[in-house]
Amino acid sequence: MPTSLGAAMLAAPQAARFIMVVMVVPFLLSVREVADGDEVHLLPTGNATLLVAPDTAVEPHRLVLPHRGVIRAPGPVVLAALSPNAVKCLLGDPRRHLERTIAVTDHPLLVPFAGADGMPQVADLLRDLRDSLTVTADERDFLDLWETVGRGEELPTGDRRVQRLVLRYAGRSPLALNTLARLARTLDADNRTGGHNSLGAFADSSHYVRVCRAHTGRTPTAWRNMSQTFY
């Protein structure tokens, strides 16, 4: 399976159920079920993560922003990776929500997920939600740009229209998103091989460590050999 911003890592156990969703629904990238007791480490991309727990007594439904850190599952949960424009569509200005975790019951568009039971229903609800929203020409242009990031290319940083679109739909500058994408790809490669794979993404190892600490709070070494990682 090729590495992309919408793919779960090959290091995931076979028991974890995973659906790769083609970009028909403009903000749904992938969906995964996580078993009781598992940990999933979210690689630092510009994506958001929707967490839905059928058993709300042990884990509340929430939208996790930004897409980084560790999710520990005290019961079975469903994770959905959403592209950055989902935050703009669901919550308005993404810059207001980049460092927040939002309970689905706190936002009208997310309330239906509180009754979701299992991965297929979460995917269906996301499709229904996306279908109910108007996709503007600017949003389609942003999605085209985001697909280039998923292919391992970088966003142009000198184009003012690109800067405006990316800031509007992702809440960050193209330069900041390029840095996150490089870091996520490098951490992914490290995780899959158990060693450092510079991929030419950083000037040297100390630069790599500094960027990783700044965006995840951990060193690259701490990310290696983790059992489950998720874009």
Side-chain angles (χ1 to χ4, degrees), residues 15 33-39 55 58-59 72-78 228:
E33 282 185 343
V34 179
D36 184 4
D38 282 356
E39 288 188 355
D55 184 357
V58 296
E59 184 73 13
R72 295 178 175 87
V77 300
V78 177
Q228 295 191 68

Side-chain angles (χ1 to χ4, degrees), residues 1-188:
M1 181 185 298
T3 300
S4 74
L5 289 176
M9 297 301 96
L10 298 180
Q14 292 298 315
R17 292 181 59 205
F18 173 70
I19 295 176
M20 186 65 195
V21 181
V22 179
M23 214 46 172
V24 173
V25 184
F27 58 54
L28 175 58
L29 297 174
S30 57
V31 187
R32 173 192 281 183
E33 282 185 343
V34 179
D36 184 4
D38 282 356
E39 288 188 355
V40 178
H41 301 259
L42 305 177
L43 291 172
T45 68
N47 296 332
T49 306
L50 178 66
L51 183 150
V52 178
D55 184 357
T56 56
V58 296
E59 184 73 13
H61 311 292
R62 61 185 188 268
L63 186 65
V64 180
L65 303 166
H67 187 95
R68 71 182 183 201
V70 181
I71 287 180
R72 295 178 175 87
V77 300
V78 177
L79 297 181
L82 308 178
S83 58
N85 63 305
V87 183
K88 171 70 168 61
C89 294
L90 299 175
L91 305 175
D93 186 348
R95 288 167 290 188
R96 296 172 50 203
H97 303 284
L98 285 179
E99 302 298 328
R100 292 185 56 197
T101 295
I102 297 104
V104 298
T105 52
D106 291 342
H107 194 280
L109 289 175
L110 297 175
V111 168
F113 292 93
D117 184 15
M119 184 165 57
Q121 190 174 3
V122 170
D124 287 344
L125 284 169
L126 283 166
R127 289 189 181 94
D128 292 344
L129 177 57
R130 177 66 267 186
D131 289 345
S132 71
L133 300 172
T134 300
V135 181
T136 65
D138 277 357
E139 188 179 357
R140 291 189 185 280
D141 289 345
F142 170 78
L143 288 166
D144 288 342
L145 289 167
W146 194 243
E147 286 186 6
T148 69
V149 177
R151 293 194 298 267
E153 303 171 20
E154 296 211 339
L155 296 167
T157 57
D159 186 310
R160 290 190 177 182
R161 184 168 185 273
V162 170
Q163 291 174 351
R164 177 178 63 80
L165 286 174
V166 171
L167 191 61
R168 180 181 181 188
Y169 287 102
R172 297 179 174 88
S173 69
L175 181 61
L177 283 179
N178 286 341
T179 300
L180 286 175
R182 284 198 302 271
L183 177 60
R185 286 194 298 269
T186 308
L187 288 173
D188 168 36

Side-chain angles (χ1 to χ4, degrees), residues 182-216:
R182 284 198 302 271
L183 177 60
R185 286 194 298 269
T186 308
L187 288 173
D188 168 36
D190 286 2
N191 180 271
R192 286 185 289 110
T193 63
H196 175 52
N197 298 267
S198 67
L199 305 177
F202 299 95
D204 52 39
S205 59
S206 62
H207 180 213
Y208 179 31
V209 171
R210 286 197 305 273
V211 171
C212 189
R213 278 187 180 276
H215 288 285
T216 72

